[in-house]
Amino acid sequence: MRFKAKILLIYTGGTIGMSKDLETGALKAFDFSRLWQQIPELEQLDCEIESVSFEKPIDSSNMNPEIWGTIAKMIASNYGQFDGFVVLHGTDTMSYTASALSFMLENLAKPVILTGSQLPIGDLRTDAKENLITAIQIASHHDKGQAVFQEVGLYFEYKLYRGNRTTKVNAEHFKAFNSPNYPCLVESGVHLKWNSHLLLPHTDIQNLKVHYQLDAQVLILKLFPGICGTVLQAILGIPTLKGIVLETYGTGNAPTSHSFVESLQQAIHKGLYVINVTQCSSGSVDMGHYETSRELKELGVISGKDITTEAAITKLMYLLGKNTPKNDFKLAFETSLRGEMN
Ligand code: ASP
């Protein structure tokens, strides 16, 4: 008998399912059942589709670790019954969610693909239909009864990316996402072109392991010329703070002033984890390449290599949530866990 994949659509909210409030003109989430009326083409797909929606769909600006837990739970509790999952999500924080889910879902052997759109599904020029239909097609692609794509992906504007490699780069264009340091995994044209050699290797371990504990006592700090020592000290001195993602210049460079280095040194000494990522839109941190990063390396700053800020902050939450021992933390962060860094 021919294999027919069963796909679960999980609607969390976002523009894809929004409509204009007639009074205020603002976009707000609408009833998910209308999605099916808007895309009757879903019936034509060669797979079975079921859907489930957040009771109250959200604008993804309201996303948080607790809601990531809800999404992970929806996937985990339906894992045995479905062959793949497509998560409809607002674009604003989609890369954060894709990154978080990649760490939360260990030994993933089925596709989890996030998608959304820049224009609501009911809009005449909407990008929602192509995004949704192709995301489902990719999720249902099987070979010898096995899902071909076995990781957390993000599909947008003709490209499937590894989710934890993406970042939102445009608030208006249909090409809203980029994967600056890793090529796309599937390209949609007349045919779907799979870059199979770039996929994560399939896992032999059958049991999905879900990590629900994320520790959000973290912060992203972007350097800028003139960053003030007292501000830095105040931030690093927040008593509950456990880790920061420091967005540095170029290949991981930072001021060499005494006040800056001393503040960092004290914080690290007190047990704060500091992750060095570049604020450039692509490329990698290489501590020690310049004099301005050599000292960071000596202080025990952790290299984020070519990770995105979105993946760095969620990986930090994940490793803290797992209570990773202090002595293992640096190595754990600098090791690729889900293909998020080279
Ligand atoms: N504000 C919306 C959201 O992220 C934008 C979108 O969906 O594109 O939920």
Side-chain angles (χ1 to χ4, degrees), residues 39-285:
I39 318 192
E41 293 91 337
L42 290 177
E43 299 290 340
Q44 295 171 35
L45 287 169
D46 191 19
C47 57
E48 277 179 51
I49 304 171
E50 281 184 33
S51 64
V52 52
S53 168
F54 274 15
E55 208 172 313
K56 278 207 179 114
I58 60 163
D59 185 297
S60 78
S61 307
N62 288 317
M63 189 49 71
N64 61 43
E66 198 185 325
I67 309 179
W68 289 335
T70 307
I71 302 173
K73 193 157 212 159
M74 281 169 137
I75 293 169
S77 56
N78 287 288
Y79 198 70
Q81 295 90 277
F82 289 87
D83 302 297
F85 303 85
V86 173
V87 180
L88 299 179
H89 194 289
T91 56
D92 289 344
T93 61
M94 198 188 292
S95 293
Y96 290 91
T97 300
S99 300
L101 288 177
S102 76
F103 299 118
M104 295 168 85
L105 303 172
E106 192 177 351
N107 306 328
L108 188 65
K110 298 186 179 186
V112 172
I113 301 179
L114 284 91
T115 193
S117 63
Q118 291 281 56
L119 281 176
I121 197 107
D123 194 289
L124 206 52
R125 294 190 309 106
T126 190
D127 51 332
K129 286 191 184 187
E130 200 287 318
N131 286 346
L132 178 56
I133 288 170
T134 309
I136 295 173
Q137 277 190 326
I138 293 172
S140 44
H141 190 58
H142 271 65
D143 186 27
K144 302 185 190 87
Q146 259 213 342
V148 175
F149 186 68
Q150 303 192 359
E151 47 185 294
V152 178
L154 187 155
Y155 184 81
F156 221 87
E157 187 66 0
Y158 303 111
K159 286 196 170 120
L160 176 77
Y161 305 103
R162 175 163 303 145
N164 59 28
R165 288 291 195 152
T166 62
T167 190
K168 185 173 177 182
V169 289
N170 202 300
E172 281 180 27
H173 292 172
F174 287 151
K175 189 183 175 336
F177 290 89
N178 202 358
S179 171
N181 288 325
Y182 202 73
C184 76
L185 306 174
V186 181
E187 212 166 334
S188 169
V190 174
H191 303 288
L192 289 180
K193 182 173 169 283
W194 285 77
N195 293 323
S196 305
H197 61 290
L198 298 172
L199 301 177
L200 284 179
H202 291 181
T203 173
D204 294 334
I205 308 166
Q206 291 305 313
N207 293 339
L208 176 74
K209 189 167 170 195
V210 187
H211 301 270
Y212 289 105
Q213 290 305 326
L214 298 177
D215 192 330
Q217 298 299 327
V218 293
L219 178 86
I220 298 169
L221 180 63
K222 182 171 183 160
L223 292 185
F224 57 92
I227 189 165
C228 165
T230 44
V231 170
L232 188 68
Q233 261 179 15
I235 291 172
L236 298 180
I238 296 169
T240 53
L241 191 65
K242 295 184 183 159
I244 67 165
V245 172
L246 190 66
E247 278 199 359
T248 57
Y249 308 124
T251 52
N253 308 314
T256 47
S257 67
H258 182 68
S259 65
F260 180 85
V261 174
E262 177 128 324
S263 304
L264 267 192
Q265 188 173 24
Q266 278 172 9
I268 292 171
H269 190 70
K270 276 196 286 176
L272 189 84
Y273 297 112
V274 179
I275 317 295
N276 189 350
V277 303
T278 176
Q279 53 184 257
C280 292
S281 51
S282 64
S284 180
V285 158

Side-chain angles (χ1 to χ4, degrees), residues 4-49:
K4 201 168 186 180
K6 241 181 124 183
I7 303 297
L8 183 64
L9 270 188
I10 300 175
Y11 178 58
T12 68
T15 298
I16 191 162
M18 287 185 177
S19 60
K20 264 208 176 116
D21 185 294
L22 294 177
E23 272 172 33
T24 65
L27 284 173
K28 61 173 199 184
F30 76 1
D31 179 5
F32 183 61
S33 55
R34 287 177 55 191
L35 190 70
W36 294 87
Q37 294 164 16
Q38 299 287 354
I39 318 192
E41 293 91 337
L42 290 177
E43 299 290 340
Q44 295 171 35
L45 287 169
D46 191 19
C47 57
E48 277 179 51
I49 304 171

